[in-house]
CSV table of all heavy atoms in Angstrom, one decimal:
chain,number,residue,atom,x,y,z
A,270,VAL,N,8.7,-8.6,-17.3
A,270,VAL,CA,7.2,-8.8,-17.0
A,270,VAL,C,7.1,-10.3,-16.8
A,270,VAL,O,7.7,-11.1,-17.4
A,270,VAL,CB,6.3,-8.4,-18.2
A,270,VAL,CG1,4.9,-8.5,-17.9
A,270,VAL,CG2,6.6,-6.9,-18.6
A,271,GLY,N,6.2,-10.7,-15.9
A,271,GLY,CA,5.9,-12.1,-15.6
A,271,GLY,C,7.1,-12.8,-15.0
A,271,GLY,O,7.4,-13.9,-15.2
A,272,ASN,N,7.8,-12.1,-14.1
A,272,ASN,CA,8.8,-12.7,-13.3
A,272,ASN,C,8.3,-14.0,-12.6
A,272,ASN,O,7.1,-13.9,-12.1
A,272,ASN,CB,9.3,-11.7,-12.2
A,272,ASN,CG,10.3,-12.3,-11.3
A,272,ASN,OD1,10.1,-13.3,-10.6
A,272,ASN,ND2,11.5,-11.7,-11.3
A,273,PRO,N,9.0,-15.1,-12.7
A,273,PRO,CA,8.4,-16.4,-12.3
A,273,PRO,C,8.0,-16.4,-10.8
A,273,PRO,O,7.2,-17.3,-10.4
A,273,PRO,CB,9.6,-17.4,-12.5
A,273,PRO,CG,10.4,-16.7,-13.6
A,273,PRO,CD,10.3,-15.3,-13.3
A,274,TRP,N,8.5,-15.6,-9.9
A,274,TRP,CA,8.2,-15.6,-8.5
A,274,TRP,C,7.5,-14.4,-8.0
A,274,TRP,O,7.1,-14.4,-6.8
A,274,TRP,CB,9.6,-15.7,-7.7
A,274,TRP,CG,10.4,-16.9,-8.0
A,274,TRP,CD1,10.3,-18.1,-7.3
A,274,TRP,CD2,11.4,-17.1,-9.0
A,274,TRP,NE1,11.2,-19.0,-7.9
A,274,TRP,CE2,11.9,-18.4,-8.9
A,274,TRP,CE3,12.0,-16.2,-9.9
A,274,TRP,CZ2,12.9,-18.8,-9.7
A,274,TRP,CZ3,13.0,-16.7,-10.7
A,274,TRP,CH2,13.5,-18.0,-10.6
A,275,LYS,N,7.5,-13.4,-8.7
A,275,LYS,CA,7.1,-12.1,-8.1
A,275,LYS,C,5.7,-11.6,-8.5
A,275,LYS,O,5.1,-12.1,-9.4
A,275,LYS,CB,8.2,-11.1,-8.4
A,275,LYS,CG,9.5,-11.5,-7.7
A,275,LYS,CD,10.7,-10.6,-7.9
A,275,LYS,CE,11.8,-11.1,-7.0
A,275,LYS,NZ,13.1,-10.4,-7.3
A,276,VAL,N,5.3,-10.5,-7.9
A,276,VAL,CA,3.9,-10.0,-8.0
A,276,VAL,C,3.7,-9.5,-9.5
A,276,VAL,O,4.7,-9.3,-10.2
A,276,VAL,CB,3.6,-8.9,-7.0
A,276,VAL,CG1,3.6,-9.5,-5.6
A,276,VAL,CG2,4.5,-7.7,-7.2
A,277,GLN,N,2.5,-9.2,-9.8
A,277,GLN,CA,2.1,-8.8,-11.1
A,277,GLN,C,2.9,-7.6,-11.6
A,277,GLN,O,3.2,-6.6,-10.9
A,277,GLN,CB,0.6,-8.4,-11.1
A,277,GLN,CG,0.0,-8.0,-12.4
A,277,GLN,CD,0.0,-9.2,-13.3
A,277,GLN,OE1,-0.6,-10.3,-13.0
A,277,GLN,NE2,0.5,-9.1,-14.5
A,278,ARG,N,3.3,-7.7,-12.9
A,278,ARG,CA,3.9,-6.5,-13.6
A,278,ARG,C,3.0,-6.2,-14.8
A,278,ARG,O,2.2,-7.0,-15.2
A,278,ARG,CB,5.3,-6.9,-13.9
A,278,ARG,CG,6.1,-7.1,-12.6
A,278,ARG,CD,7.5,-7.6,-12.8
A,278,ARG,NE,8.2,-7.7,-11.5
A,278,ARG,CZ,9.5,-7.7,-11.3
A,278,ARG,NH1,10.3,-7.6,-12.4
A,278,ARG,NH2,10.0,-7.8,-10.1
A,279,TYR,N,3.2,-5.1,-15.5
A,279,TYR,CA,2.2,-4.5,-16.3
A,279,TYR,C,2.7,-4.2,-17.7
A,279,TYR,O,3.4,-3.2,-18.0
A,279,TYR,CB,1.7,-3.2,-15.7
A,279,TYR,CG,1.2,-3.5,-14.3
A,279,TYR,CD1,2.0,-3.3,-13.2
A,279,TYR,CD2,-0.1,-4.0,-14.0
A,279,TYR,CE1,1.6,-3.6,-11.9
A,279,TYR,CE2,-0.5,-4.3,-12.7
A,279,TYR,CZ,0.3,-4.1,-11.7
A,279,TYR,OH,-0.1,-4.4,-10.4
A,280,THR,N,2.3,-5.1,-18.6
A,280,THR,CA,2.9,-5.1,-20.0
A,280,THR,C,2.5,-3.8,-20.7
A,280,THR,O,3.3,-3.1,-21.3
A,280,THR,CB,2.4,-6.3,-20.8
A,280,THR,OG1,2.5,-7.4,-20.0
A,280,THR,CG2,3.2,-6.5,-22.0
A,281,ARG,N,1.2,-3.5,-20.7
A,281,ARG,CA,0.7,-2.3,-21.5
A,281,ARG,C,1.1,-1.0,-20.8
A,281,ARG,O,1.5,-0.1,-21.4
A,281,ARG,CB,-0.9,-2.4,-21.6
A,281,ARG,CG,-1.3,-3.0,-22.8
A,281,ARG,CD,-2.8,-3.3,-22.8
A,281,ARG,NE,-3.6,-2.1,-23.1
A,281,ARG,CZ,-4.0,-1.7,-24.3
A,281,ARG,NH1,-3.6,-2.4,-25.3
A,281,ARG,NH2,-4.7,-0.6,-24.5
A,282,GLY,N,1.0,-1.0,-19.5
A,282,GLY,CA,1.5,0.1,-18.7
A,282,GLY,C,2.9,0.4,-19.0
A,282,GLY,O,3.3,1.6,-19.1
A,283,TRP,N,3.7,-0.6,-19.1
A,283,TRP,CA,5.2,-0.5,-19.4
A,283,TRP,C,5.4,0.2,-20.8
A,283,TRP,O,6.1,1.2,-20.9
A,283,TRP,CB,5.8,-1.8,-19.3
A,283,TRP,CG,7.3,-1.8,-19.2
A,283,TRP,CD1,8.2,-1.0,-19.8
A,283,TRP,CD2,8.1,-2.7,-18.4
A,283,TRP,NE1,9.5,-1.3,-19.4
A,283,TRP,CE2,9.4,-2.4,-18.6
A,283,TRP,CE3,7.8,-3.8,-17.5
A,283,TRP,CZ2,10.5,-3.0,-17.9
A,283,TRP,CZ3,8.8,-4.4,-16.9
A,283,TRP,CH2,10.1,-4.1,-17.1
A,284,ALA,N,4.6,-0.3,-21.7
A,284,ALA,CA,4.7,0.3,-23.1
A,284,ALA,C,4.2,1.7,-23.1
A,284,ALA,O,4.9,2.6,-23.7
A,284,ALA,CB,3.8,-0.5,-24.1
A,285,GLU,N,3.2,2.0,-22.4
A,285,GLU,CA,2.7,3.4,-22.3
A,285,GLU,C,3.7,4.3,-21.6
A,285,GLU,O,3.9,5.5,-22.1
A,285,GLU,CB,1.3,3.5,-21.5
A,285,GLU,CG,0.2,2.9,-22.3
A,285,GLU,CD,-1.0,2.5,-21.4
A,285,GLU,OE1,-1.0,2.8,-20.2
A,285,GLU,OE2,-2.0,1.9,-21.9
A,286,GLY,N,4.4,3.8,-20.6
A,286,GLY,CA,5.4,4.6,-20.0
A,286,GLY,C,6.5,5.0,-20.9
A,286,GLY,O,7.0,6.1,-21.0
A,287,LEU,N,7.0,4.0,-21.7
A,287,LEU,CA,8.0,4.2,-22.7
A,287,LEU,C,7.6,5.2,-23.8
A,287,LEU,O,8.4,6.1,-24.2
A,287,LEU,CB,8.5,2.9,-23.3
A,287,LEU,CG,9.3,2.0,-22.4
A,287,LEU,CD1,9.4,0.6,-22.9
A,287,LEU,CD2,10.7,2.6,-22.2
A,288,GLU,N,6.3,5.1,-24.2
A,288,GLU,CA,5.8,6.0,-25.2
A,288,GLU,C,5.7,7.4,-24.6
A,288,GLU,O,6.0,8.4,-25.3
A,288,GLU,CB,4.4,5.5,-25.7
A,288,GLU,CG,4.5,4.3,-26.6
A,288,GLU,CD,3.3,3.4,-26.6
A,288,GLU,OE1,2.3,3.8,-25.9
A,288,GLU,OE2,3.3,2.4,-27.3
A,289,ALA,N,5.4,7.5,-23.4
A,289,ALA,CA,5.3,8.9,-22.7
A,289,ALA,C,6.7,9.5,-22.6
A,289,ALA,O,6.9,10.7,-22.8
A,289,ALA,CB,4.7,8.8,-21.3
A,290,ILE,N,7.7,8.6,-22.3
A,290,ILE,CA,9.1,9.1,-22.3
A,290,ILE,C,9.5,9.6,-23.7
A,290,ILE,O,10.1,10.7,-23.9
A,290,ILE,CB,10.1,8.0,-21.8
A,290,ILE,CG1,9.8,7.7,-20.3
A,290,ILE,CG2,11.5,8.4,-22.0
A,290,ILE,CD1,10.5,6.5,-19.8
A,291,ALA,N,9.2,8.8,-24.7
A,291,ALA,CA,9.6,9.2,-26.1
A,291,ALA,C,8.9,10.5,-26.5
A,291,ALA,O,9.6,11.3,-27.2
A,291,ALA,CB,9.2,8.0,-27.0
A,292,GLU,N,7.7,10.7,-26.1
A,292,GLU,CA,7.0,11.9,-26.4
A,292,GLU,C,7.7,13.2,-26.0
A,292,GLU,O,7.6,14.2,-26.6
A,292,GLU,CB,5.6,11.9,-25.8
A,292,GLU,CG,4.5,11.8,-26.7
A,292,GLU,CD,3.1,11.7,-26.0
A,292,GLU,OE1,2.8,12.6,-25.2
A,292,GLU,OE2,2.4,10.7,-26.3
A,293,LYS,N,8.5,13.1,-24.9
A,293,LYS,CA,9.3,14.3,-24.5
A,293,LYS,C,10.4,14.6,-25.4
A,293,LYS,O,11.1,15.6,-25.3
A,293,LYS,CB,9.8,14.1,-23.1
A,293,LYS,CG,8.7,13.8,-22.0
A,293,LYS,CD,8.0,15.1,-21.6
A,293,LYS,CE,7.1,15.0,-20.4
A,293,LYS,NZ,6.3,16.2,-20.2
A,294,ARG,N,10.8,13.6,-26.3
A,294,ARG,CA,11.9,13.7,-27.2
A,294,ARG,C,13.2,14.0,-26.4
A,294,ARG,O,13.9,15.0,-26.7
A,294,ARG,CB,11.7,14.7,-28.3
A,294,ARG,CG,10.4,14.5,-29.0
A,294,ARG,CD,10.3,15.0,-30.4
A,294,ARG,NE,11.2,14.2,-31.4
A,294,ARG,CZ,10.7,13.1,-32.0
A,294,ARG,NH1,9.6,12.6,-31.8
A,294,ARG,NH2,11.6,12.5,-32.8
A,295,PRO,N,13.6,13.1,-25.5
A,295,PRO,CA,14.8,13.4,-24.7
A,295,PRO,C,16.1,13.3,-25.6
A,295,PRO,O,16.1,12.5,-26.6
A,295,PRO,CB,14.9,12.2,-23.7
A,295,PRO,CG,13.5,11.6,-23.7
A,295,PRO,CD,12.9,11.9,-25.1
A,296,ALA,N,17.1,14.1,-25.2
A,296,ALA,CA,18.4,14.0,-25.9
A,296,ALA,C,19.2,12.9,-25.3
A,296,ALA,O,20.2,12.5,-25.9
A,296,ALA,CB,19.1,15.3,-25.9
A,297,LEU,N,18.9,12.6,-24.1
A,297,LEU,CA,19.6,11.6,-23.3
A,297,LEU,C,18.7,10.8,-22.5
A,297,LEU,O,17.8,11.3,-21.8
A,297,LEU,CB,20.7,12.3,-22.5
A,297,LEU,CG,21.6,11.4,-21.6
A,297,LEU,CD1,22.5,10.5,-22.5
A,297,LEU,CD2,22.5,12.3,-20.7
A,298,LEU,N,18.8,9.4,-22.5
A,298,LEU,CA,18.0,8.6,-21.6
A,298,LEU,C,19.0,7.9,-20.6
A,298,LEU,O,20.0,7.2,-21.0
A,298,LEU,CB,17.3,7.5,-22.5
A,298,LEU,CG,16.4,6.5,-21.7
A,298,LEU,CD1,15.0,7.1,-21.5
A,298,LEU,CD2,16.3,5.2,-22.4
A,299,LEU,N,18.7,8.0,-19.4
A,299,LEU,CA,19.5,7.4,-18.3
A,299,LEU,C,18.6,6.3,-17.7
A,299,LEU,O,17.6,6.5,-17.0
A,299,LEU,CB,19.9,8.4,-17.3
A,299,LEU,CG,20.7,9.6,-17.8
A,299,LEU,CD1,21.1,10.6,-16.7
A,299,LEU,CD2,22.0,9.1,-18.5
A,300,PRO,N,19.0,5.0,-18.0
A,300,PRO,CA,18.1,3.9,-17.6
A,300,PRO,C,18.4,3.4,-16.1
A,300,PRO,O,19.4,3.8,-15.6
A,300,PRO,CB,18.5,2.8,-18.6
A,300,PRO,CG,19.9,3.1,-19.0
A,300,PRO,CD,20.1,4.6,-18.8
A,301,GLY,N,17.6,2.6,-15.6
A,301,GLY,CA,17.8,2.0,-14.3
A,301,GLY,C,18.9,1.0,-14.2
A,301,GLY,O,19.5,0.8,-13.2
A,302,HIS,N,19.1,0.3,-15.4
A,302,HIS,CA,20.2,-0.6,-15.5
A,302,HIS,C,20.8,-0.5,-16.9
A,302,HIS,O,20.1,-0.2,-17.9
A,302,HIS,CB,19.7,-2.1,-15.3
A,302,HIS,CG,19.1,-2.3,-14.0
A,302,HIS,ND1,19.9,-2.8,-12.9
A,302,HIS,CD2,17.9,-2.2,-13.5
A,302,HIS,CE1,19.1,-2.9,-11.8
A,302,HIS,NE2,17.9,-2.5,-12.2
A,303,GLY,N,22.2,-0.6,-17.0
A,303,GLY,CA,22.8,-0.5,-18.3
A,303,GLY,C,23.2,0.9,-18.6
A,303,GLY,O,22.8,1.8,-17.9
A,304,PRO,N,23.9,1.1,-19.7
A,304,PRO,CA,24.4,2.4,-20.0
A,304,PRO,C,23.4,3.4,-20.6
A,304,PRO,O,22.3,3.0,-21.0
A,304,PRO,CB,25.5,2.1,-21.1
A,304,PRO,CG,25.0,0.8,-21.7
A,304,PRO,CD,24.3,0.1,-20.7
A,305,PRO,N,23.8,4.7,-20.5
A,305,PRO,CA,22.9,5.7,-21.1
A,305,PRO,C,22.8,5.5,-22.6
A,305,PRO,O,23.6,4.9,-23.3
A,305,PRO,CB,23.7,7.0,-20.9
A,305,PRO,CG,24.7,6.7,-19.8
A,305,PRO,CD,25.1,5.3,-20.0
A,306,ILE,N,21.7,6.1,-23.1
A,306,ILE,CA,21.5,6.2,-24.6
A,306,ILE,C,21.4,7.6,-25.0
A,306,ILE,O,20.7,8.4,-24.5
A,306,ILE,CB,20.1,5.5,-25.0
A,306,ILE,CG1,20.2,4.0,-24.6
A,306,ILE,CG2,19.9,5.6,-26.5
A,306,ILE,CD1,19.0,3.2,-24.8
Side-chain angles (χ1 to χ4, degrees):
V270 183
N272 179 299
W274 298 269
K275 293 181 175 169
V276 297
Q277 185 67 52
R278 296 171 178 203
Y279 305 93
T280 316
R281 269 169 78 87
W283 197 318
E285 286 162 6
L287 286 165
E288 287 156 359
I290 292 171
E292 247 176 53
K293 299 282 190 189
R294 305 204 75 83
L297 181 63
L298 182 86
L299 301 179
H302 297 270
I306 298 177

